[in-house]
Amino acid sequence: MTLPESPSAPRPPAGGAALWVAAGLALGPMVALGFGRFSYALLLPPMRSALHWTYTQAGAMNTANGLGYLLGAVLAPRLLGRWGARPAFVASLLVTALTIALTAASGALGWLLLMRFLTGLGGAVTFTSGGLLTAQVASAAPTRQAGAVLSVFYAGASLGILLTGLGLPALLGRAGPEGWHAGWLALGLVSLLGLAVAGRAAGRVRTAAPGTDAGPLGWAQVRPLLRSLLAYACAGLGYVAYTTFSVTYLRAGGLGTAAVSLFWALLGLAGVAAPLVWGRLLSRRWGGRPMGILMATMGAGAALPVVSTAPPTVFLSAALFGVAALTVVASTTALIRQSLRPAQWGAGVALYTVTFAAFQSAGPLLTGALADGGPAGLRLGLGVSALVLLLGAALALWQPAIPTDG
């Protein structure tokens, strides 16, 4: 089965060209997640110091981002059905870039919560529509290359982590106590540059005409995938504590600015290298096994700083967590492609995105509340999140492959 296409739709890229198109589309998650969500971990220490936040208030910022992401994931299928994937991708990426920049405008709690919410909303639509576009690119590529195409797209978020790790600490150091304003503004400006490249790549992808998707998935399609959905809920709940509070935790443990910068850069660099590590794994029809392997790797990485904050342990943690975290998302798209008909891919991507978003919204707030409960609270919160990730790995390994006639 093939997707219906509009008469003016370009031919899909294939072979090596598919990887280049995926790389261009990857600037979407670079902005939506790398800048819009993960950069907050580096900006949190100066913001918390300048604005006198509790850990609960600090966690509320990413909870607001997660709630916006949840709403965006719920709205995404309607927007994709009405506009089509390409316009939704470009428009939402523009919204995300602007709200990132506007986060610098005020230190008022209400304003920051609103901007974090809108950044999450735009980012979810970017991520969902970009994931659908990439699934189309992967379907036109040689079978052995499909997993690499998906992995390249999702590695865009890790590229954002790498860039912020290399650039933000130095910028914040020069700008002084109120430097977080400059940090958000710089990220917004780079996001607008990324929009130009990503929009050009989106124009090369053949997509369905608006209104021709198969609509929401029924229980008959969802039930066979339930174990992987529960695993993905664990991924959403577990990973966000690490990405929100790891830098704060390591700074409190005595890690200096240079070491923290290296930690964050390693986290991003490992994710950028992930397509080389996992590309073949994602091309296999193994049900939830790729997802389980990835979540186990991520859970092990998340657990290491709880055991020790010595630099070698911390750097190994960054490498393990970074090489797996965003590829877990790619594994769900691979599972969708293998388990559903092409006309259902958009609904499938949206379902997994909503599941992830619903549980990631609670993670930062719960971890922040634990941290406010005592000196060992932040360590406890990170430890619980690692256990949740390992539970998700077990659930994913239990997910069988789903036969499909599409």
XYZ file of all heavy atoms in Angstrom, residues 20 23 40-41 60 76 85 98 105 212 242 254 262 290 292 298-299 314 329 380 384:
147
model
N 20.618 12.561 3.399
C 20.784 14.019 3.413
C 19.478 14.716 3.734
O 19.458 15.710 4.471
C 21.337 14.495 2.073
C 22.805 14.234 1.924
C 23.402 13.336 1.094
C 23.861 14.875 2.651
N 24.765 13.366 1.247
C 25.088 14.302 2.195
C 23.904 15.860 3.632
C 26.322 14.690 2.693
C 25.146 16.258 4.132
C 26.329 15.680 3.663
N 18.889 14.354 7.335
C 19.764 15.262 8.084
C 19.201 16.680 8.101
O 19.293 17.384 9.110
C 21.167 15.248 7.475
N 17.427 23.598 28.749
C 16.992 24.120 30.044
C 17.878 23.601 31.184
O 18.081 24.305 32.185
C 15.528 23.746 30.283
C 14.977 24.169 31.616
C 14.857 25.519 31.952
C 14.566 23.228 32.554
C 14.349 25.908 33.177
C 14.044 23.602 33.777
C 13.941 24.943 34.096
O 13.444 25.329 35.313
N 18.421 22.382 31.035
C 19.279 21.846 32.090
C 20.503 22.724 32.312
O 20.957 22.903 33.453
C 19.711 20.422 31.734
N 8.693 22.735 37.683
C 7.426 23.172 37.075
C 7.642 23.739 35.677
O 6.756 23.645 34.812
C 6.751 24.213 37.965
N -1.753 17.417 16.985
C -0.984 17.137 15.776
C -1.760 16.360 14.712
O -1.713 16.728 13.527
C 0.308 16.409 16.131
N 1.668 17.283 6.297
C 2.844 17.203 7.161
C 3.837 18.336 6.929
O 4.405 18.883 7.875
C 3.536 15.854 6.972
N 10.461 31.047 17.725
C 10.084 32.355 18.276
C 9.876 32.299 19.786
O 10.306 33.199 20.515
C 8.819 32.859 17.589
C 8.977 33.253 16.106
C 7.623 33.620 15.506
C 9.959 34.411 15.954
N 12.636 37.365 27.316
C 12.046 38.691 27.463
C 11.748 39.083 28.904
O 11.713 40.270 29.233
C 10.771 38.796 26.623
N -6.304 12.806 3.671
C -6.354 11.452 3.139
C -5.805 10.411 4.108
O -5.632 9.255 3.724
C -5.552 11.366 1.827
O -4.204 11.766 2.083
C -6.156 12.246 0.762
N 16.621 12.988 34.350
C 18.053 13.075 34.029
C 18.343 14.317 33.201
O 19.294 15.064 33.484
C 18.447 11.809 33.267
C 19.931 11.666 32.976
C 20.760 10.948 33.840
C 20.493 12.198 31.826
C 22.112 10.784 33.559
C 21.846 12.041 31.541
C 22.648 11.334 32.412
O 23.991 11.184 32.132
N 29.939 19.056 43.185
C 31.277 19.619 43.097
C 31.915 19.595 41.728
O 33.073 19.993 41.579
N 31.837 19.458 29.409
C 32.268 18.240 28.724
C 31.212 17.147 28.860
O 30.927 16.425 27.895
C 33.602 17.765 29.297
C 34.177 16.478 28.684
C 34.367 16.618 27.180
C 35.506 16.126 29.358
N 14.602 -3.980 19.854
C 15.490 -2.816 19.745
C 15.192 -1.752 20.802
O 16.114 -1.196 21.413
C 15.205 -2.294 18.329
C 14.750 -3.508 17.577
C 13.951 -4.293 18.564
N 13.863 -2.249 23.742
C 14.294 -2.744 25.046
C 15.790 -2.612 25.250
O 16.257 -2.229 26.333
N 20.039 3.153 28.243
C 19.744 4.458 28.809
C 19.593 4.371 30.329
O 20.081 5.243 31.074
C 18.465 5.010 28.164
C 18.116 6.421 28.573
S 16.862 7.206 27.527
C 15.506 6.066 27.627
N 18.899 3.328 30.814
C 18.722 3.164 32.255
C 20.044 2.971 32.974
O 20.258 3.516 34.067
N 30.786 9.812 35.498
C 29.851 10.787 34.937
C 29.955 10.821 33.409
O 28.945 10.863 32.698
C 30.124 12.179 35.539
C 29.427 13.268 34.751
C 29.676 12.207 36.997
N 13.224 6.912 20.624
C 12.131 7.496 19.851
C 12.137 6.934 18.435
O 11.087 6.578 17.882
C 12.243 9.026 19.828
C 11.016 9.638 19.178
C 12.431 9.588 21.240
N 17.770 10.706 45.049
C 16.682 9.737 45.096
C 15.829 9.828 43.834
O 15.478 8.809 43.227
C 15.817 9.982 46.337
C 14.542 9.138 46.449
C 14.885 7.656 46.544
C 13.723 9.575 47.674
N 15.250 6.794 41.162
C 13.926 6.257 40.812
C 13.718 6.311 39.302
O 13.178 5.376 38.693
C 12.817 7.044 41.555
C 11.441 6.702 40.999
C 12.874 6.739 43.048
